[in-house]
Amino acid sequence: MSARTLFTDGWTFRRTDNDTSASVRLPHDAMILETRTADAETGNHGGYFPGGSYVYARSWTAPADATQRTYSLFFEGVYGDTRVLVNGREVARCNSGYREFTAPLTGVAPGETALIDVLVDNTRVPNSRWYSGSGIYRPVWLESAGPVRIAPDGVHVVTRSISGDATVDVTIRVEGELPSGATASAEFSYDGERVVREHAATATGGVFSIPVTIPTPRLWSADSPHLYEVRASIAVDGDPVDQEQLRTGLRTVTVDARRGLRINGATELLRGACVHHDSGILGAATFAASESRRARILKAAGYNAIRSSHNPLSRAFLDACDEIGLYVMDELTDVWLKHKTHHDTADQFADVWPADAAAMIQKDRNRPSVIMYSIGNEIAETATQDGIDAAHAIHRYFAQNDPTRPTTLAVNLLLNLMSSRGSSPFEREQYLGEKKEAKDKKEATSTAANMLTAKLGRVMELAARLPAADKASRGAFGTVDVAGYNYAYGRYAADRKRYPNRVIVGSESMPGDLPAIWKRVTTVPGVIGDFMWTGWDYLGESGIGTWSYGSEPGSINKPYPALTAGPGAFDITGLPGAPALLAQAVWGTATTPGIAVRPLGTSGQRANRTPWRTSDAVPSWSWRALAGQAQIEVYSADDEVEVLLNDRSLGRKKAGERVGFVTRFRTQYEPGELVAIGYRDGAETGRSTLRSAGTPTLRLRPETTALQGPDDLAHVWIELADENGTVDMSTNDTVTVTVDGAGTLAALGTGAAATTESFTDDQHSTHRGRALAIVRGSDQRGFVTITATSARHGSATIILSPADTEHEGVPA
């Protein structure tokens, strides 16, 4: 039988220019360990982190059956140009940071111990428009197989019909020479009980095809994410040879211009969040626990769809989307033929995209959550024939290899307009670091558009309405199934009339535009939803969505020590801001009004706003050390809202769509209780409350009480809060964290937009009364003691239990 086991422990890590190695357990981000500086070559793109070159090493002893079985390593992702060596001999290489790949462990005799070196070169930066990380940032697996095996990801399940009983096609691709008498079977179970098992006696070209009928199917959708366990097996003369198990959902996906997007025949509108791949204070390191947490928080906030930006999602994130019910637009790449940063993959695009696409399809095709492929983001050269030809080729590849899902292409119409004219408002050297003679044509880039937008506000959306923008984009839109519009919602109604067969999705939009966008989504046929930039904040592209104040730099390219991008409805630690409340009000998913308050520490200062964030307000009324006029924002779909401060009415005002779903109040700040009440048709619909904190002390609040081994994480909030748990936003301190027992401190930090502190230290300043500690489990079974000590607010200790004692409580 084939086997796959985690191969994440026992590694050492060092910089290429340093002979000193440290023990690490994968996944691991080398870039987050580096020292940020104002002159780091990644600049604003990468959050002012430097690149680097690294060596990961591990020994491996070949088992006694190494002559009868093949062994290999499966890498889910390594960022940087990568070479894998076995005893100094190169066995694999990969030059694409988001592509999965396999390295064969050949030439090692049974019982022999071999040295595996993974050389990662990420020195040529910037090669991305956001924080990329470096090194083996996703899990690695040891795979073994016999001479006849089911190919890796070689089982494909396709739902053909859900009318009455479900009809499903299962194909099983086999590697190796099939002997006579070989058969295959596919077994479906639900909640541990077998539903059906079917067999196939013959294979064509090494592929078994098995039609399966599933009675009374439980269908998968975002609202009802039912999953089946599938066991695919091959046998010879009745003796098992190999098997593979997976989980999948039964569902159909169709799109057309009249009925839009339909899942299982029912129309769906996508309430979408764009997300980048980094894990916040963990850097790029991908853990199932952090990916699941992010998905759960976004789902609870009313999102039902994720757009991966701008590269394929991790398997762990897709697992979470399958499990809890989130639709996914998985995206291939940000770069095609033209550079966006100096060292990106444009020069090798023609060589790498087929392998990247193949790996993405192989990873995604059994995922019920993945309903659409995006073949690229803001590819301005699609205004030219070369770009259109490339779009045709990539779409055809996806359609041929997975015809069950539509394709889209996220087009920024302003960029295409500029590209069609061979010009840009900025010199190339400003974003590529190259010097060109004035006579050279300037290429349009996403970075250039961001700079222009910061100065001219709505220029992208207004420019997108021009006839020339339509002309520059219609060729690209004609290559895919769904037209992806970035920042161009003003075109929806007119383009649906002009192109009656076009299906439209808002693939990227300003959070503050959601009221206008959603009105079009719900009224213009063939518009299937919208994706906010962004649902979750990210590292790099520092300051694009961060407000500054007074004389602070106001550009969207904030100088060092700016770190985070800033446009997230949730910050990098998972705390919500005003955009999350706005989305819930617009979508009607909130049951009570949402209250947010602009930070009192900035009261009276001129705000240098950015289009990617329409409000800097946060849901808190706890500013004990501050005074001044408070600016209150209430987000609601009700007819009216009223605000009470300490039982005193601040007024009752219009709410809902008439005022863009946000109602504003001003008052002098005073501690106490702030209440927002919603009214519809004169009757109260619900109320929300914010309270001020009493005297704050340091408190620990874990999101979980147990750790389930070395790959699990516990997110522990360090809060300066009163006895009721209310955090004071104006109180800060320096905290030191120690972890004892069966765990280690994986990261410590906050969602602050700018900082000189590192997430890898055991000491960090709080931001608005909070910090987040992330603790990783270990191989040892036992309790984990977490202690936080502050300079001025005392200390606190909590104990996490092993997973199997969670319900037994923890020792005092």
Side-chain angles (χ1 to χ4, degrees):
M1 294 287 182
S2 298
R4 174 183 282 190
T5 56
L6 275 174
F7 200 70
T8 53
D9 62 342
W11 291 85
T12 62
F13 160 80
R14 64 178 177 86
R15 293 175 176 83
T16 303
D17 59 0
N18 190 332
D19 292 333
T20 303
S21 296
S23 297
V24 296
R25 186 182 185 100
L26 306 179
H28 178 262
D29 179 13
M31 183 176 279
I32 204 72
L33 299 170
E34 299 285 4
T35 301
R36 300 170 63 227
T37 60
D39 59 355
E41 289 186 328
T42 64
N44 166 263
H45 294 299
Y48 302 97
F49 281 90
S53 179
Y54 311 98
V55 179
Y56 293 84
R58 189 193 193 280
S59 62
W60 173 72
T61 301
D65 62 359
T67 56
Q68 291 83 38
R69 298 176 63 82
T70 60
Y71 286 84
S72 59
L73 296 184
F74 177 73
F75 293 84
E76 290 192 26
V78 185
Y79 202 92
D81 288 341
T82 303
R83 300 170 60 220
V84 182
L85 311 181
V86 176
N87 287 336
R89 177 174 52 87
E90 182 177 308
V91 296
R93 64 169 57 203
C94 182
N95 57 358
S96 185
Y98 301 103
R99 185 200 308 154
E100 299 178 339
F101 69 98
T102 298
L105 298 177
T106 56
V108 185
E112 178 186 352
T113 298
L115 178 63
I116 301 168
D117 289 311
V118 181
L119 313 182
V120 185
D121 185 355
N122 194 31
T123 54
R124 291 171 57 81
V125 293
N127 51 44
S128 174
R129 294 190 298 117
W130 53 86
Y131 176 88
S132 65
S134 298
I136 310 177
Y137 70 101
R138 285 181 178 169
V140 181
W141 301 81
L142 176 66
E143 298 182 325
S144 68
V148 178
R149 63 170 297 185
I150 298 175
D153 294 312
V155 180
H156 189 193
V157 181
V158 177
T159 306
R160 295 299 182 191
S161 172
I162 55 172
S163 179
D165 295 342
T167 57
V168 178
D169 288 344
V170 179
T171 59
I172 304 172
R173 183 166 55 89
V174 180
E175 292 181 344
E177 186 174 347
L178 274 174
S180 61
T183 60
S185 65
E187 178 181 298
F188 283 71
S189 299
Y190 184 85
D191 199 20
E193 294 198 9
R194 182 194 293 180
V195 174
V196 66
R197 184 179 185 184
E198 300 288 353
H199 299 267
T202 59
T204 302
V207 176
F208 288 95
S209 297
I210 307 175
V212 179
T213 299
I214 299 179
T216 318
R218 295 172 172 89
L219 302 180
W220 188 97
S221 69
D223 293 331
S224 301
H226 296 291
L227 292 173
Y228 285 83
E229 296 84 36
V230 180
R231 177 180 295 176
S233 305
I234 55 174
V236 176
D237 297 326
D239 294 326
V241 174
D242 202 7
Q243 70 176 25
E244 181 177 336
Q245 296 188 156
L246 59 90
R247 292 196 309 165
T248 192
L250 307 181
R251 62 103 182 94
T252 59
V253 179
T254 58
V255 291
D256 64 62
R258 184 169 66 88
R259 291 168 292 188
L261 170 67
R262 289 180 298 157
I263 306 295
N264 303 325
T267 298
E268 288 276 9
L269 297 178
L270 301 176
R271 305 186 302 271
C274 295
V275 299
H276 267 300
H277 80 289
D278 75 71
S279 301
I281 64 174
L282 288 164
T286 301
F287 293 86
S290 60
E291 299 284 67
S292 176
R293 175 180 182 263
R294 181 160 50 151
R296 285 186 282 105
I297 289 173
L298 290 170
K299 179 71 181 282
Y303 295 92
N304 72 353
I306 300 295
R307 176 192 175 211
S308 68
S309 309
H310 303 288
N311 40 261
L313 282 177
S314 69
R315 289 184 178 239
F317 204 118
L318 291 176
D319 285 342
C321 293
D322 288 344
E323 179 71 32
I324 67 174
L326 282 168
Y327 300 120
V328 172
M329 176 196 294
D330 213 6
E331 193 157 76
L332 181 65
T333 182
D334 186 52
V335 176
W336 282 10
L337 305 169
K338 300 294 184 181
H339 284 285
K340 291 184 177 180
T341 57
H342 187 56
H343 296 295
D344 61 32
T345 58
D347 293 337
Q348 60 190 36
F349 174 72
D351 297 324
V352 303
W353 80 256
D356 288 350
M360 178 173 160
I361 292 170
Q362 186 164 288
K363 171 179 62 72
D364 288 0
R365 61 184 184 175
N366 289 320
R367 303 284 186 170
S369 58
V370 179
I371 61 167
M372 193 181 313
Y373 293 122
S374 171
I375 64 174
N377 172 67
E378 295 191 342
I379 310 298
E381 60 266 30
T382 55
T384 70
Q385 193 58 52
D386 285 348
I388 293 171
D389 291 344
H392 272 296
I394 301 170
H395 164 78
R396 282 195 302 269
Y397 186 93
F398 276 89
Q400 290 167 1
N401 288 277
D402 186 0
T404 67
R405 294 172 173 87
T407 61
T408 188
L409 177 65
V411 174
N412 184 312
L413 279 79
L414 171 60
L415 297 185
N416 276 44
L417 173 59
M418 293 191 294
S419 180
S420 70
R421 297 178 175 178
S423 63
S424 166
F426 302 99
E427 298 291 331
R428 271 187 99 208
E429 55 265 29
Q430 286 185 270
Y431 59 90
L432 289 182
E434 293 180 347
K435 293 184 178 181
K436 292 288 183 180
E437 296 182 6
K439 66 180 181 180
D440 285 359
K441 292 183 177 180
K442 310 302 186 292
E443 296 175 4
T445 72
S446 297
T447 300
N450 291 348
M451 295 172 65
L452 186 61
T453 301
K455 295 181 179 180
L456 302 181
R458 307 216 56 81
V459 64
M460 281 199 292
E461 200 276 321
L462 294 175
R465 301 184 187 216
L466 297 173
D470 171 46
K471 183 179 179 181
S473 59
R474 62 193 181 199
F477 285 149
T479 66
V480 289
D481 302 307
V482 179
Y485 285 54
N486 283 14
Y487 310 107
Y489 67 89
R491 294 201 67 94
Y492 290 176
D495 280 5
R496 283 289 291 120
K497 292 179 180 178
R498 187 175 294 110
Y499 306 102
N501 293 322
R502 181 177 291 181
V503 182
I504 294 172
V505 65
S507 39
E508 192 168 313
S509 66
M510 305 287 187
D513 289 339
L514 189 57
I517 292 170
W518 203 247
K519 184 175 182 180
R520 290 162 171 81
V521 170
T522 55
T523 59
V524 179
V527 179
I528 65 174
D530 175 76
F531 288 85
M532 174 191 298
W533 191 266
T534 57
W536 200 275
D537 203 8
Y538 56 101
L539 304 178
E541 208 167 13
S542 305
I544 187 174
T546 303
W547 287 20
S548 60
Y549 305 92
S551 60
E552 296 175 345
S555 166
I556 62 172
N557 295 322
K558 301 292 192 301
Y560 177 83
L563 175 58
T564 65
F570 290 83
D571 74 9
I572 61 170
T573 66
L575 294 175
L581 304 181
L582 174 63
Q584 292 172 340
V586 172
W587 295 331
T589 58
T591 57
T592 59
I595 317 172
V597 180
R598 293 200 57 209
L600 260 70
T602 63
S603 179
Q605 299 184 60
R606 175 178 60 86
N608 305 310
R609 293 172 167 83
T610 160
W612 277 272
R613 192 170 199 92
T614 52
S615 174
D616 60 349
V618 291
S620 176
W621 188 246
S622 189
W623 309 87
R624 60 183 280 119
L626 301 172
Q629 190 173 78
Q631 301 177 50
I632 303 163
E633 299 173 354
V634 179
Y635 294 89
S636 175
D638 291 309
D639 299 332
E640 295 178 306
V641 292
E642 181 181 17
V643 170
L644 306 179
L645 175 56
N646 295 326
D647 295 324
R648 182 178 72 255
S649 178
L650 301 183
R652 184 163 162 172
K653 298 182 179 182
K654 294 179 182 178
E657 186 175 358
R658 294 176 297 172
V659 293
F661 297 91
V662 56
T663 306
R664 294 177 172 85
F665 298 82
R666 289 175 179 264
T667 189
Q668 195 69 18
Y669 176 74
E670 61 183 64
E673 184 176 81
L674 189 71
V675 179
I677 307 170
Y679 298 93
R680 196 166 296 178
D681 297 326
E684 180 178 332
T685 60
R687 59 177 61 197
S688 300
T689 302
L690 296 177
R691 295 180 177 87
S692 302
T695 302
T697 58
L698 189 143
R699 296 173 179 269
L700 296 181
R701 179 172 58 86
E703 292 184 356
T704 182
T705 60
L707 276 170
Q708 301 182 40
D711 299 303
D712 194 18
L713 302 175
H715 294 75
V716 180
W717 288 101
I718 303 165
E719 298 176 331
L720 303 176
D722 66 11
E723 66 276 9
N724 297 314
T726 303
V727 175
D728 187 68
M729 302 286 276
S730 65
T731 302
N732 283 301
D733 206 338
T734 300
V735 295
T736 301
V737 175
T738 59
V739 177
D740 296 309
T744 57
L745 182 64
L748 175 65
T750 73
T755 181
T756 59
E757 296 176 293
S758 170
F759 297 145
T760 62
D761 291 339
D762 62 0
Q763 186 177 87
H764 207 92
S765 302
T766 62
H767 173 63
R768 291 179 176 167
R770 288 184 176 91
L772 179 67
I774 301 179
V775 177
R776 185 175 186 177
S778 77
D779 287 320
Q780 303 300 313
R781 183 186 180 279
F783 294 95
V784 182
T785 302
I786 304 166
T787 301
T789 304
S790 68
R792 300 182 303 278
H793 294 86
S795 62
T797 297
I798 61 167
I799 299 175
L800 304 181
S801 66
D804 55 358
T805 61
E806 179 173 3
H807 299 294
E808 300 174 13
V810 297

